[in-house]
């Protein structure tokens, strides 16, 4: 008897193409995406350089991944909660980026790579 997976498997990561990214977005994001894509392609055409189109894809792809995995709302809720806590002056439990922390970080990086 073979083991069968329980529940849905992980969602596929959208390809880094405009079509795949657009398919993963929420309906209310489509107009903004379409306008930005057209503008990036126009710039790329005018400049004979794909950099604006690539930068546009790089900007939107993480959002498409979050949407495809159903994580966007959770991430946005967590970010809003952190922003509210910061606005109230609450301690967010962050680590200050001081020289001691930098030294520990450098030491850890050196041992890994």
């Amino acid at each position: 008897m073979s083991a069968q997976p329980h529940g849905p498997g992980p969602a596929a990561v959208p390809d880094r193409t405009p079509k795949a990214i657009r398919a993963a977005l929420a309906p209310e994001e489509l107009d903004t995406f379409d306008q930005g894509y057209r503008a990036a392609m126009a710039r790329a055409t005018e400049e004979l350089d794909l950099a604006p189109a690539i930068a546009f894809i790089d900007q939107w792809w993480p959002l498409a991944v979050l949407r495809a995995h159903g994580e966007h709302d959770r991430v946005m809720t967590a970010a809003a909660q952190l922003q509210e806590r910061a606005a109230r002056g609450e301690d967010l439990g962050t680590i200050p980026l001081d020289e001691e922390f930098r030294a520990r970080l450098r030491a850890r990086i050196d041992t890994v790579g």
Side-chain angles (χ1 to χ4, degrees), residues 18-105:
K19 186 175 184 177
I21 291 169
R22 190 180 193 283
L25 298 177
E28 63 270 12
E29 296 164 334
L30 297 179
D31 285 340
T32 303
F33 178 85
D34 291 345
Q35 290 171 10
Y37 178 67
R38 286 187 188 101
M41 290 304 292
R43 267 190 68 208
T45 301
E46 180 67 29
E47 298 171 7
L48 297 176
D49 185 356
L50 289 175
I54 293 168
F56 179 81
I57 296 301
D58 289 346
Q59 176 186 353
W60 281 86
W61 187 70
L63 175 61
V65 171
L66 287 175
R67 289 275 186 214
H69 287 261
E71 291 291 313
H72 180 266
D73 292 341
R74 183 188 64 76
V75 169
M76 294 306 290
T77 298
Q81 290 171 347
L82 282 172
Q83 189 173 16
E84 289 170 6
R85 288 179 56 205
R88 290 192 301 264
E90 291 183 28
D91 179 12
L92 301 179
T94 58
I95 299 171
L97 187 58
D98 57 14
E99 284 308 311
E100 179 184 341
F101 179 76
R102 287 176 201 258
R104 289 188 317 205
L105 183 59

